[in-house]
Structures are given as structure tokens and as C-alpha cells.
Amino acid sequence: MKPFSAPVSDLGHIDLVLDSTAFHAILQDSFLINQFAVVSQDTTMYSKPSFDIYMLGREAFLHLSLDKEYWKNKAGSAVMIFQTRRPEKYDSLLLAWKQFYKDSLNATSYKGGDFNTGEILPYRKKDTLNPTKPNFTPILMSYSIQGYKNWGFSDSVITYGLSMQEFMRSWDSSSQTKLFHKIKSLHVQITKQEFTEMESALYTMGYTKQGSQFIHEFNPSIYYHITETNVVPKYTKIEIELAESTEERTIQLGDTYEIKVKDTLLVIQQLDKTKQKP
């Protein structure tokens, strides 16, 4: 039987949980907050508050959370989020993912100020005896039709789909003037179970596997390394394509990451602690 195709989707953003030093270093760097992206701060209330930075680019965004309150002891966690171009497609996402993932999937929803989303992610049984550890999670999501209407999108867009550039322009038009163009590639270090979850999600999204990477026609390449134990940070390298060439620079984000900018590429990379001074 021919596999059921998932709705066309984009890797629209990624989430990272950062320690306090890295989180505040981003807010204090003039290049990042003035030239690289549209930067805003927000606090979202779950069972506890989540302190967040949003970095908006031309065709993608970064969602960075502080290792505090809701995300306490979660530094190094990472999420990879694909969103459908057409709204209200979460049922189709669920059916498509089930073809590649034989364990349980969790279908949930999130209500924002003027939108709802349907989100699909691997089900993980809660262990009440042990605290949750940092982890890597793939999420497939779809916005509601009403959300698109609230944002002023036409019936034509709802019917035929919304590109990430249109989505980001609608969020904040000044994102189209920043250097952050789109995510080029992601490098992850994940456990065997996390790999099984990610692999099935990527197959659902139309990726193919070549060696130690997954490739896609228009989404970022995903490189992976499977670890025997739960190692953090989950993202070891994030490559971001810039809209134009810019001055070379290095930005330190505490003792976990550094950012290197050269020509038309910005790379957020895990520091090699074996090379750090004692």
C-alpha cells in the first residue's frame, strides 16, 4: 500500500534551553539584538513560568528558554518543530507519523493569545520517582484556521498554504531586514530512543537518510550522533544562513556554546571543553 503523505511542512523553528550565562549573553550582545534578528522577550505561564527569548529571521525563528522555574535543570534540552503550510492539518500529521512510529504518539493542543495549535509528539511515560532529564523532542504541528483568519490571511492562503517567509513577515515585517535568513543545518547528539523518535518524524516529513545525516528538498539537513547515555547539549551545532555577508566575529555564550560569524554563515557550536583552559 502506498504510504499516506503528510501535509507539506517547514522546519519553522527550534527550541533550546540555555543556562543563565548563555541566555543573558544573547540579550547583551549588540550584533545579535540589532543586526542578526528581531529579538523579543516573553514570559509564558505553564505550571510554572517560562522565561523566553524569540529571535525572528526572514524564514525561521529561534525560541530560547531560560533554565529556571518550568525549565529548571533542563539546560541542554532541544526541540525541533515542523509546521504545516496549510492550517488545521494535525489529524493528517498524526495519521502520517503513525506509519513510521510504532509506539504511542501524544496529540495535544496549545492555546495562544489569538491562535490555537495542534501538536503531535512522542508519548513518554512520566516517572514520578525521578526528575525529568534534559531531552530532545521532535514536534509536528499545525495552526488553526481561526488563527490564520485572526492574523488577516485570506481564504486563498488557507486553501493553498503559507510560506515561512510570509509567516515571519506577518509576525514582524522588520524580520525581513535582518541578517537571519534561515536555518541551514542542525547537528544533534541523541540517545537511541530519541533517534527512533526523530527518525520517524523526519521520514514523515519527507526526509531521506544518507549515512549519518537526513536530507530534504527544502528543509535543513539534520546530522546525528547516537550516544549511549543522555548527553547534553542536544544541539551540538546550528548553522544559520545569513541574508548577506557580514563582519567576522566570535560571541561567547558561557561555557556551553560559542557563536562564530563569517561571510554569510552564523554557527552556534558547542564548545570543546577539552580545549578550554583549566
Side-chain angles (χ1 to χ4, degrees), residues 28-55:
Q28 293 163 8
D29 187 87
S30 60
F31 168 77
L32 294 178
I33 63 175
N34 293 321
Q35 294 173 252
F36 172 62
V38 175
V39 178
S40 63
Q41 285 184 266
D42 192 19
T43 301
T44 304
M45 193 58 162
Y46 300 111
S47 55
K48 294 180 179 179
S50 171
F51 304 99
D52 306 301
I53 297 172
Y54 291 91
M55 306 187 78

Short mmCIF file of all heavy atoms in Angstrom, two decimals, residues 28-55:
data_model
loop_
_atom_site.label_atom_id
_atom_site.label_comp_id
_atom_site.label_asym_id
_atom_site.label_seq_id
_atom_site.Cartn_x
_atom_site.Cartn_y
_atom_site.Cartn_z
N GLN A 28 22.71 40.70 25.76
CA GLN A 28 23.68 41.78 25.95
C GLN A 28 24.56 42.02 24.72
O GLN A 28 25.38 42.93 24.73
CB GLN A 28 24.55 41.46 27.17
CG GLN A 28 23.78 41.50 28.49
CD GLN A 28 24.51 40.81 29.63
OE1 GLN A 28 25.68 40.43 29.49
NE2 GLN A 28 23.86 40.66 30.76
N ASP A 29 24.37 41.22 23.68
CA ASP A 29 25.22 41.36 22.50
C ASP A 29 24.54 42.24 21.46
O ASP A 29 23.46 41.90 20.95
CB ASP A 29 25.54 39.99 21.90
CG ASP A 29 26.55 40.09 20.79
OD1 ASP A 29 27.77 40.06 21.08
OD2 ASP A 29 26.14 40.21 19.61
N SER A 30 25.17 43.33 21.11
CA SER A 30 24.54 44.32 20.21
C SER A 30 24.35 43.76 18.80
O SER A 30 23.36 44.09 18.13
CB SER A 30 25.38 45.60 20.16
OG SER A 30 26.68 45.32 19.69
N PHE A 31 25.27 42.93 18.31
CA PHE A 31 25.12 42.35 16.97
C PHE A 31 23.88 41.46 16.91
O PHE A 31 23.08 41.56 15.97
CB PHE A 31 26.36 41.55 16.59
CG PHE A 31 26.16 40.70 15.35
CD1 PHE A 31 26.18 41.27 14.10
CD2 PHE A 31 25.94 39.33 15.46
CE1 PHE A 31 25.98 40.50 12.95
CE2 PHE A 31 25.73 38.54 14.33
CZ PHE A 31 25.77 39.14 13.07
N LEU A 32 23.71 40.60 17.89
CA LEU A 32 22.59 39.65 17.88
C LEU A 32 21.25 40.36 17.96
O LEU A 32 20.30 40.00 17.26
CB LEU A 32 22.73 38.65 19.03
CG LEU A 32 23.92 37.69 18.94
CD1 LEU A 32 23.96 36.80 20.19
CD2 LEU A 32 23.86 36.83 17.68
N ILE A 33 21.15 41.38 18.82
CA ILE A 33 19.84 42.00 19.04
C ILE A 33 19.54 43.13 18.06
O ILE A 33 18.37 43.53 17.93
CB ILE A 33 19.70 42.52 20.50
CG1 ILE A 33 20.72 43.61 20.80
CG2 ILE A 33 19.83 41.37 21.49
CD1 ILE A 33 20.54 44.24 22.18
N ASN A 34 20.56 43.62 17.36
CA ASN A 34 20.31 44.73 16.43
C ASN A 34 20.42 44.35 14.95
O ASN A 34 19.62 44.79 14.13
CB ASN A 34 21.29 45.89 16.70
CG ASN A 34 21.03 46.54 18.05
OD1 ASN A 34 19.89 46.71 18.46
ND2 ASN A 34 22.11 46.89 18.75
N GLN A 35 21.39 43.51 14.62
CA GLN A 35 21.64 43.17 13.22
C GLN A 35 21.15 41.78 12.84
O GLN A 35 20.61 41.58 11.75
CB GLN A 35 23.14 43.28 12.91
CG GLN A 35 23.69 44.69 13.00
CD GLN A 35 25.21 44.70 12.86
OE1 GLN A 35 25.96 44.91 13.79
NE2 GLN A 35 25.65 44.45 11.65
N PHE A 36 21.36 40.82 13.72
CA PHE A 36 21.08 39.43 13.37
C PHE A 36 19.59 39.14 13.26
O PHE A 36 19.13 38.55 12.28
CB PHE A 36 21.73 38.50 14.38
CG PHE A 36 21.34 37.05 14.19
CD1 PHE A 36 21.66 36.38 13.02
CD2 PHE A 36 20.64 36.38 15.18
CE1 PHE A 36 21.31 35.05 12.84
CE2 PHE A 36 20.28 35.05 15.02
CZ PHE A 36 20.61 34.38 13.84
N ALA A 37 18.81 39.54 14.26
CA ALA A 37 17.40 39.13 14.29
C ALA A 37 16.55 40.17 15.02
O ALA A 37 17.07 41.05 15.70
CB ALA A 37 17.27 37.77 14.99
N VAL A 38 15.24 40.05 14.84
CA VAL A 38 14.29 40.79 15.69
C VAL A 38 14.20 40.00 17.00
O VAL A 38 13.83 38.83 17.00
CB VAL A 38 12.90 40.88 15.04
CG1 VAL A 38 11.91 41.54 15.99
CG2 VAL A 38 12.97 41.64 13.73
N VAL A 39 14.57 40.64 18.08
CA VAL A 39 14.66 39.94 19.37
C VAL A 39 13.61 40.48 20.33
O VAL A 39 13.45 41.69 20.50
CB VAL A 39 16.07 40.09 19.98
CG1 VAL A 39 16.15 39.40 21.34
CG2 VAL A 39 17.12 39.51 19.04
N SER A 40 12.88 39.57 20.95
CA SER A 40 11.89 39.97 21.96
C SER A 40 11.93 38.98 23.12
O SER A 40 12.37 37.84 22.98
CB SER A 40 10.49 40.02 21.36
OG SER A 40 10.08 38.73 20.92
N GLN A 41 11.47 39.44 24.26
CA GLN A 41 11.38 38.60 25.45
C GLN A 41 9.92 38.41 25.84
O GLN A 41 9.08 39.27 25.60
CB GLN A 41 12.13 39.24 26.62
CG GLN A 41 13.64 39.15 26.55
CD GLN A 41 14.28 39.73 27.79
OE1 GLN A 41 14.66 40.90 27.82
NE2 GLN A 41 14.42 38.90 28.81
N ASP A 42 9.64 37.26 26.44
CA ASP A 42 8.28 36.97 26.85
C ASP A 42 8.33 36.01 28.03
O ASP A 42 9.32 35.30 28.24
CB ASP A 42 7.51 36.34 25.68
CG ASP A 42 6.01 36.27 25.95
OD1 ASP A 42 5.53 37.01 26.84
OD2 ASP A 42 5.32 35.50 25.27
N THR A 43 7.27 35.99 28.81
CA THR A 43 7.12 35.02 29.89
C THR A 43 5.79 34.31 29.69
O THR A 43 4.74 34.94 29.64
CB THR A 43 7.14 35.70 31.27
OG1 THR A 43 8.37 36.41 31.43
CG2 THR A 43 7.02 34.65 32.38
N THR A 44 5.87 33.00 29.53
CA THR A 44 4.68 32.18 29.33
C THR A 44 4.39 31.39 30.59
O THR A 44 5.31 30.86 31.22
CB THR A 44 4.88 31.20 28.15
OG1 THR A 44 5.23 31.95 26.99
CG2 THR A 44 3.61 30.41 27.88
N MET A 45 3.13 31.30 30.97
CA MET A 45 2.78 30.58 32.19
C MET A 45 2.27 29.18 31.87
O MET A 45 1.25 29.01 31.22
CB MET A 45 1.70 31.36 32.97
CG MET A 45 1.53 30.82 34.38
SD MET A 45 3.08 30.91 35.27
CE MET A 45 2.56 30.77 36.94
N TYR A 46 3.02 28.18 32.26
CA TYR A 46 2.56 26.80 32.23
C TYR A 46 2.22 26.45 33.68
O TYR A 46 1.53 27.21 34.34
CB TYR A 46 3.65 25.89 31.64
CG TYR A 46 4.07 26.23 30.23
CD1 TYR A 46 5.32 26.76 29.97
CD2 TYR A 46 3.20 26.04 29.17
CE1 TYR A 46 5.71 27.09 28.67
CE2 TYR A 46 3.57 26.35 27.87
CZ TYR A 46 4.83 26.88 27.64
OH TYR A 46 5.20 27.21 26.36
N SER A 47 2.66 25.32 34.18
CA SER A 47 2.51 25.06 35.61
C SER A 47 3.42 25.99 36.40
O SER A 47 3.15 26.31 37.56
CB SER A 47 2.85 23.59 35.91
OG SER A 47 4.14 23.27 35.43
N LYS A 48 4.50 26.44 35.76
CA LYS A 48 5.41 27.45 36.29
C LYS A 48 5.78 28.37 35.14
O LYS A 48 5.60 28.02 33.98
CB LYS A 48 6.68 26.78 36.86
CG LYS A 48 6.43 25.91 38.08
CD LYS A 48 7.74 25.30 38.56
CE LYS A 48 7.52 24.42 39.79
NZ LYS A 48 8.80 23.82 40.25
N PRO A 49 6.30 29.56 35.43
CA PRO A 49 6.64 30.48 34.33
C PRO A 49 7.81 29.99 33.49
O PRO A 49 8.75 29.35 34.00
CB PRO A 49 6.97 31.79 35.05
CG PRO A 49 7.29 31.40 36.45
CD PRO A 49 6.49 30.19 36.76
N SER A 50 7.76 30.30 32.19
CA SER A 50 8.84 30.04 31.26
C SER A 50 9.34 31.38 30.74
O SER A 50 8.57 32.18 30.22
CB SER A 50 8.34 29.18 30.09
OG SER A 50 9.32 29.08 29.08
N PHE A 51 10.64 31.64 30.92
CA PHE A 51 11.24 32.90 30.51
C PHE A 51 11.91 32.69 29.15
O PHE A 51 12.83 31.89 29.03
CB PHE A 51 12.25 33.37 31.55
CG PHE A 51 11.65 33.49 32.93
CD1 PHE A 51 11.82 32.48 33.86
CD2 PHE A 51 10.89 34.60 33.28
CE1 PHE A 51 11.26 32.57 35.13
CE2 PHE A 51 10.32 34.70 34.54
CZ PHE A 51 10.51 33.69 35.47
N ASP A 52 11.46 33.43 28.14
CA ASP A 52 11.81 33.10 26.75
C ASP A 52 12.36 34.29 25.97
O ASP A 52 11.99 35.44 26.22
CB ASP A 52 10.57 32.59 26.02
CG ASP A 52 9.90 31.43 26.73
OD1 ASP A 52 10.57 30.41 26.93
OD2 ASP A 52 8.72 31.57 27.11
N ILE A 53 13.23 33.97 25.02
CA ILE A 53 13.71 34.91 24.01
C ILE A 53 13.28 34.37 22.65
O ILE A 53 13.43 33.17 22.36
CB ILE A 53 15.25 35.02 24.01
CG1 ILE A 53 15.76 35.58 25.34
CG2 ILE A 53 15.72 35.90 22.84
CD1 ILE A 53 17.28 35.52 25.45
N TYR A 54 12.74 35.25 21.81
CA TYR A 54 12.42 34.90 20.43
C TYR A 54 13.34 35.69 19.51
O TYR A 54 13.46 36.91 19.63
CB TYR A 54 10.96 35.22 20.11
CG TYR A 54 9.98 34.33 20.83
CD1 TYR A 54 9.48 34.70 22.07
CD2 TYR A 54 9.57 33.12 20.29
CE1 TYR A 54 8.59 33.88 22.76
CE2 TYR A 54 8.68 32.29 20.96
CZ TYR A 54 8.20 32.67 22.19
OH TYR A 54 7.33 31.86 22.86
N MET A 55 14.00 34.97 18.59
CA MET A 55 14.88 35.61 17.61
C MET A 55 14.29 35.34 16.24
O MET A 55 14.34 34.21 15.73
CB MET A 55 16.30 35.06 17.73
CG MET A 55 16.87 35.16 19.14
SD MET A 55 18.62 34.72 19.25
CE MET A 55 19.38 36.22 18.62
#
